[in-house]
Amino acid sequence: AQTVTQSQPEMSVQEAETVTLSCTYDTSESDYYLFWYKQPPSRQMILVIRQEAYKQQNATENRFSVNFQKAAKSFSLKISDSQLGDAAMYFCAYRSTNTGNQFYFGTGTSLTVIP
Amino acid sequence: EPEVTQTPSHQVTQMGQEVILRCVPISNHLYFYWYRQILGQKVEFLVSFYNNEISEKSEIFDDQFSVERPDGSNFTLKIRSTKLEDSAMYFCASSEGSWVTEAFFGQGTRLTVV
């Protein structure tokens, strides 16, 4: 089964600075999707960014970008110019293209943004 | 913007009681899911539902669990006889179809079994 590991339970960043959240995964599949979801306190999980494994180019969404290293099975999230509203729990997730629709999640990283 | 809504936000129940967690998926979505997260652990897949039947379920989803879409809008998760270890955050999600990579999640229901 696929596993997703987030080794940083908590991270903090100064407002306007850059922070990188780590994620590694384990799979024998060659084609899959990777996601970062953000969950603000008492709110639903919101998709931040996604990456298709067949694409070599790293995904970017405004201040959010990923460093996708397929061979190393690494998928880190970089948040540039951090804002107070970025404070949330961030989940890394894997989704197979072959074995159904379920997501495999990491344990999450709680990000604090310091004013 | 359409969103998945879950009720209640927090449910406390006594061990052995039945609970029903409710979800209203996004209206044009066809696939529905339940996930749970025990405190400090990973978000785990429970079940997916399509065309009024379960399409996939995990080992966690045993005979104590059931899902239903009773009226075409709500999507419910029932736990027949709750155990202490069922205490967790339960997330509902929906997606337009299996070909769509993105799923939309609700804010979760925190279930506490005492």
Side-chain angles (χ1 to χ4, degrees):
Chain A
Q2 287 76 14
T3 58
V4 177
T5 302
Q6 292 178 252
S7 58
Q8 306 154 316
E10 297 177 343
M11 291 282 284
S12 61
V13 62
Q14 293 279 349
E15 195 175 2
E17 296 295 309
T18 296
V19 64
T20 299
L21 308 184
S22 301
C23 174
T24 59
Y25 58 94
D26 187 27
T27 184
S28 58
E29 299 177 332
S30 59
D31 198 15
Y32 45 87
Y33 304 105
L34 295 165
F35 305 83
W36 279 98
Y37 276 88
K38 167 187 175 182
Q39 186 185 34
S42 302
R43 300 285 303 279
Q44 60 259 65
M45 278 195 277
I46 305 164
L47 179 67
V48 175
I49 199 166
R50 66 169 158 249
Q51 175 83 41
E52 290 88 346
Y54 66 85
K55 290 186 177 178
Q56 293 185 338
Q57 187 172 8
N58 289 324
T60 299
E61 287 287 341
N62 300 315
R63 297 182 296 105
F64 298 87
S65 62
V66 299
N67 183 5
F68 173 48
Q69 301 289 327
K70 191 173 184 180
K73 297 178 182 174
S74 170
F75 182 61
S76 60
L77 174 70
K78 185 170 82 171
I79 306 173
S80 304
D81 186 25
S82 297
Q83 300 175 359
L84 295 178
D86 295 333
M89 181 71 83
Y90 287 81
F91 292 98
C92 178
Y94 172 106
R95 191 180 199 190
S96 171
T97 61
N98 297 323
T99 55
N101 302 309
Q102 63 170 290
F103 287 78
Y104 295 89
F105 286 90
T107 48
T109 296
S110 178
L111 179 66
T112 300
V113 180
I114 302 166
Chain B
E1 186 173 332
E3 60 182 31
V4 176
T5 57
Q6 290 184 241
T7 54
S9 56
H10 191 190
Q11 173 93 43
V12 181
T13 188
Q14 287 198 326
M15 189 171 55
Q17 295 296 305
E18 174 183 286
V19 293
I20 298 176
L21 309 183
R22 291 182 166 79
C23 169
V24 179
I26 295 173
S27 61
N28 64 333
H29 285 188
L30 301 177
Y31 281 79
F32 315 110
Y33 315 87
W34 282 102
Y35 288 79
R36 79 172 186 189
Q37 185 183 28
I38 296 171
L39 188 63
Q41 299 185 23
K42 298 187 177 189
V43 177
E44 301 171 292
F45 170 75
L46 292 178
V47 65
S48 60
F49 191 85
Y50 170 71
N51 199 27
N52 285 320
E53 60 182 23
I54 291 172
S55 55
E56 192 173 3
K57 62 182 180 179
S58 72
E59 294 175 349
I60 303 167
F61 194 87
D62 61 21
D63 292 343
Q64 292 297 315
F65 292 89
S66 62
V67 290
E68 194 177 34
R69 195 147 190 258
D71 56 11
S73 61
N74 291 286
F75 179 52
T76 62
L77 174 69
K78 182 192 289 186
I79 309 175
R80 287 189 184 81
S81 178
T82 50
K83 303 185 285 288
L84 294 177
E85 53 265 37
D86 293 327
S87 295
M89 181 73 87
Y90 288 80
F91 295 104
C92 173
S94 68
S95 65
E96 284 185 67
S98 61
W99 62 91
V100 176
T101 60
E102 179 179 349
F104 293 80
F105 287 81
Q107 81 279 18
T109 293
R110 180 166 297 283
L111 176 65
T112 303
V113 182
V114 297

